């Protein structure tokens, strides 16, 4: 087998293995440049529509004020995102994407020991 074919197969195998590790939540020690070399791209999260933000919040079953507290932003920010006058950015878009996939991922942030029992 020619050296080029061998190195191409090794590159493909390493890329596949690395993608599997990332998909399994184990991460990767590679830099972005190395990931690109192996054909693994980190997709950019596009702007999330106001309607989608509201759906994400409602799916997680939080009011605007509780949702804001959990995301560590102001209630005004949540209102503006849902009205379309401002857009979330950076890490907040990633967090909203996670919440869309796993609506209760932030439930651990609510201190249940301080809740009153209303039943």
């Amino acid at each position: 087998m020619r050296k080029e074919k061998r190195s191409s197969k090794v590159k493909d195998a390493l890329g596949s293995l690395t993608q599997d590790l990332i998909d399994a939540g184990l991460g990767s020690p590679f830099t972005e440049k190395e990931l690109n070399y192996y054909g693994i791209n980190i997709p950019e999260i596009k702007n999330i529509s106001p309607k989608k933000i509201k759906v994400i919040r409602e799916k997680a079953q939080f009011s605007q004020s509780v949702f804001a507290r959990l995301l560590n932003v102001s209630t005004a920010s949540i209102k503006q995102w849902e009205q379309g006058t401002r857009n979330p950015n950076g890490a907040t878009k990633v967090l909203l994407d996670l919440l869309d996939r796993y609506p209760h991922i932030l439930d651990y942030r609510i201190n249940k020991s301080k809740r009153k029992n209303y039943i």
Side-chain angles (χ1 to χ4, degrees), residues 30-40:
F30 294 122
T31 65
E32 184 177 5
K33 183 178 179 180
E34 291 166 330
L35 289 175
N36 286 334
Y37 173 78
Y38 291 115
I40 300 166

Side-chain angles (χ1 to χ4, degrees), residues 12-107:
D12 290 346
L14 280 172
S16 179
L17 176 63
T18 303
Q19 185 67 62
D20 289 345
L21 289 170
I22 292 169
D23 291 346
L26 299 174
S28 166
F30 294 122
T31 65
E32 184 177 5
K33 183 178 179 180
E34 291 166 330
L35 289 175
N36 286 334
Y37 173 78
Y38 291 115
I40 300 166
N41 295 310
I42 302 169
E44 181 182 334
I45 296 177
K46 304 292 182 196
N47 281 334
I48 303 170
S49 74
K51 183 178 180 179
K52 182 70 172 176
I53 293 169
K54 186 173 182 176
V55 167
I56 291 168
R57 178 179 60 78
E58 289 175 342
K59 194 168 35 169
Q61 300 176 333
F62 293 122
S63 66
Q64 287 181 334
S65 60
V66 172
F67 197 57
R69 181 80 185 236
L70 290 171
L71 294 177
N72 200 31
V73 298
S74 69
T75 303
S77 291
I78 301 295
K79 289 177 183 177
Q80 291 169 347
W81 296 345
E82 290 184 2
Q83 293 170 353
T85 57
R86 282 186 50 212
N87 292 315
N89 54 37
T92 306
K93 287 196 296 189
V94 173
L95 190 51
L96 287 168
D97 184 52
L98 277 170
L99 282 164
D100 188 29
R101 296 167 192 249
Y102 310 102
H104 299 287
I105 198 167
L106 292 179
D107 287 358

